[in-house]
Structures are given as structure tokens and as C-alpha cells.
Amino acid sequence: MGLELNAAKLVKSFGARELFKIPHFHVGEGESLHLSGDNGAGKTTLMKILAGLDKPCSGRVDVTPNARRWWNNRLHPQVIYLHQTPYIFAGDVEDNLAYGLKIRRESRKNIRTKVKKALEWSRLEPLAKQSAHSLSGGEKQRLALARAWVLEPRLLFLDEPTANLDTHSVDTVGELVSDLLHDGTTVMVSSHQNNRVTEQCKRHLRLSNGILAESIHSQETPQYA
Ligand SMILES: Nc1ncnc2c1ncn2[C@@H]1O[C@H](COP(=O)(O)OP(=O)(O)OP(=O)(O)O)[C@@H](O)[C@H]1O
Ligand SMILES: [Mg+2]
């Protein structure tokens, strides 16, 4: 079952500084969104609020089904936010992939099968037994994506998944994101640059001076209303 996200009257301030005010925002099942904006515009803060990891000062975010005021309870299991700097757990690559599945109390057999599939999907098989902290930046990014993929998210927030990656790694992340979109996962990606990842997105949003504007047309150089 797909998820829908509705946000209304979202306001986030830090002290006297109002970071953004968003009257309405809707994300439908299977959509792909690119969120751009200058450093400090509030992209990370907004994505964390939408993902339920941070609270707005006022307003609400609803993820349906089963989503009334879900940020006050536990996080929605099908909503995943990937940090701007990939968060890596101790242990090897396999341990990292198994982490969320263990928390979900999946059987050992299931975990083995899913970790194997995730290694194949992310092309990290040769690195399966390597300490995750020793991976390169691009490999860590792939691991973070695979760790999310294995949990079968329906709504995935990717915060700058291509920052500091070379062209080849950006293309690889682009292929993984393409797979996710093909599977019907809703993906919202924040990024400064336009690249293989962002050009797959059908909706283009820009956060600037506290306002979230959406490009009217899906085109290479979005014009914001
Ligand atoms: N806990 C906090 N307390 C005070 N100010 C904060 C806090 N968290 C974020 N900010 C400020 O809010 C602004 C938006 O930060 P945010 O990380 O959301 O921006 P961003 O658009 O993701 O930037 P970047 O492109 O650099 O990742 C910044 O000016 C930041 O300093
Ligand atoms: Mg950010």
C-alpha cells in the first residue's frame, strides 16, 4: 500500500528567525521530488520534519494510512530519512545491512537472504566483510541506500546523496534511485547540483527565503512560480 504525505501550515523557527512557512504541501504515492535551495535554506530541517524526525513549531504533517500525529508516537516504519552525512554503524558492511532487520525482529534466515540481496543490489558484495567505517565516501553512500532499501521504504528522503561524489559514483547512486522509483517508492532528494539523480525527478521544488516554490513544468531548468 502506498503512502501519501500532507503537510499544512508548517512553520519552523529558531529563536526569532523564521526558517520557513509552508501553507500546504502534498506528496502522492510514487512521486519523485527534487528539493533545491542554497546552503542554510532549510532543506535538511524540512526533510527531517516531513520524515517525522523533527517537530515543526506549528502546523502538521500527516502520512496516511495510519499516520495521525505520528511524530508524537513512533516513527512511521515505511518512512526513511537518509542523513546528509551517511550514518555508519560499527561492524562490517553485512552488519550494517542487518541492523534494521534485527531491530524489526526478522528471522535469521530472512536476514541472511535480504542482506545478500542488498549486497547484490548495491554492488557491495566484494566489500561484505569490510569494516563499514573504512569504506570510501561513495561506498558509504551506497551502503546507506542499501540499508534503507532492505527495509522496503515507501517514502524515502535522501539528503544530498551525491555531495562529494565523483561522476561515476553519482551515476551509480542514480541507478539505485532509478530502481527505487521503478518499484514505486516515493523519493524526495535534496541536492544543489542537477545530475543523474535529480534529473529523474518529476517535481522540482526550491526552498528560498522561507518559501517553498514548485516549478510549474518538469523541465531541465525549472522556473519557479
Ligand atoms: N538546532 C538548531 N538551532 C539553531 N539553528 C539551527 C538549528 N538547526 C538548523 N539551524 C539553522 O537553520 C538553517 C537551515 O539549516 P539546514 O541544515 O536545514 O539547511 P540546508 O538547506 O540543509 O543547508 P545545506 O545545504 O548546507 O545542507 C541554518 O542556518 C542552520 O544554522
Ligand atoms: Mg542540508
Side-chain angles (χ1 to χ4, degrees), residues 39-40 42-45 81 84 159-160 190 192:
N39 289 133
K43 302 180 296 300
T44 294
T45 308
Y81 164 86
Q84 191 161 354
D159 199 351
E160 302 276 356
S190 80
H192 294 107

Side-chain angles (χ1 to χ4, degrees), residues 151-172:
L151 297 175
E152 300 173 18
R154 301 312 302 158
L155 175 52
L156 182 60
F157 294 94
L158 303 177
D159 199 351
E160 302 276 356
T162 52
N164 306 316
L165 298 191
D166 64 21
T167 319
H168 177 70
S169 298
V170 170
D171 286 348
T172 309

Side-chain angles (χ1 to χ4, degrees), residues 35 44 46 59 108 116 124 130 134 143 171-172 181 196 205 219:
L35 174 64
T44 294
L46 174 59
R108 288 173 80 164
K116 188 166 179 290
L124 287 169
Q130 187 171 321
S134 68
L143 174 57
D171 286 348
T172 309
L181 289 172
R196 173 81 208 275
L205 303 147
Q219 50 194 22

Side-chain angles (χ1 to χ4, degrees), residues 2-4 27-33 153-157 180-181 183-188:
L3 290 185
E4 273 195 26
V27 182
E29 180 185 350
E31 288 193 327
S32 50
L33 305 97
R154 301 312 302 158
L155 175 52
L156 182 60
F157 294 94
L180 284 158
L181 289 172
D183 292 344
T185 311
T186 307
V187 178
M188 182 170 185

Side-chain angles (χ1 to χ4, degrees), residues 135-150:
L135 297 178
S136 74
E139 290 161 352
K140 281 182 181 154
Q141 204 54 264
R142 251 151 67 209
L143 174 57
L145 264 174
R147 208 173 48 202
W149 180 84
V150 87

Side-chain angles (χ1 to χ4, degrees), residues 76-95:
H76 198 296
Q78 291 175 306
V79 178
I80 294 185
Y81 164 86
L82 249 65
H83 284 263
Q84 191 161 354
T85 314
Y87 192 80
I88 300 297
F89 304 120
D92 62 23
V93 168
E94 283 182 340
D95 296 330

